[in-house]
Amino acid sequence: MAASSRLRVVIAKPGLDGHDRGAKVIARALRDAGHEVIYTGLHQTPEQIVATVIAEDAPVLGLSVLSGAHLTIVERVRELLAREDASDVRILVGGIIPDADVRLLEAMGVDAVFTPGADISGIVETVDRFRAELADAQGAAC
C-alpha cells in the first residue's frame, strides 16, 4: 500500500437498470471515509467495468444491481477479471438479492453482499477491512 491509507474503489452500475441513487450514496460514504472512489455511471457492460478497474488499478469493485441479473453479471465480471490477471480484486455486490442468491454469489467469490437496508457503516467497515488486509499482505511481501 502506498503512503496513503486510502483504497481505490470502483463503483459500477451494470446493465440497463437506471436507478443509481444507492450507488451514489455508497460512493459518497466511501469517499467521506477517505477512500478514492471512481463511479462509472449508468448502463455499463461487464467489459467496460473491468476495463475501468484495470485502468484505475483498483483493488475493490462495488457492483450495484437492482435488475435481478446479479448472477450473470458477476459471473462475467469474474471471468473478465481472471482474463486480465486481476482475480484478486475484491468484489462487493449490493442490490435486490434473494437470500439464496447471496450464498451463490459468495460461492462465486464475491467478498460481501449487501441487500436493502444494509447499514452504510457496515459497507465502509468492509472496505476498511480490505484496506487493512491489503496493507498487511504488502507488508508481509516486503
Side-chain angles (χ1 to χ4, degrees), residues 29-106:
L30 291 171
R31 185 208 61 198
D32 290 350
H35 299 289
E36 182 179 352
V37 179
I38 298 95
Y39 174 60
T40 65
L42 295 169
H43 311 303
Q44 299 295 298
T45 66
E47 291 78 7
Q48 290 170 315
I49 293 166
V50 170
T52 301
V53 169
I54 299 304
E56 296 291 345
D57 194 26
V60 178
L61 168 61
L63 296 170
S64 173
V65 186
L66 301 176
S67 66
H70 44 273
L71 296 174
T72 304
I73 289 167
V74 167
E75 180 178 25
R76 181 68 177 149
V77 165
R78 295 217 18 97
E79 173 187 303
L80 293 167
L81 286 169
R83 254 191 232 165
E84 294 291 335
D85 196 27
S87 296
D88 58 341
V89 169
R90 304 291 183 95
I91 300 176
L92 310 173
V93 176
I96 309 295
I97 313 228
D99 289 340
D101 288 356
V102 170
R103 289 184 288 284
L104 290 171
L105 288 167
E106 290 168 345

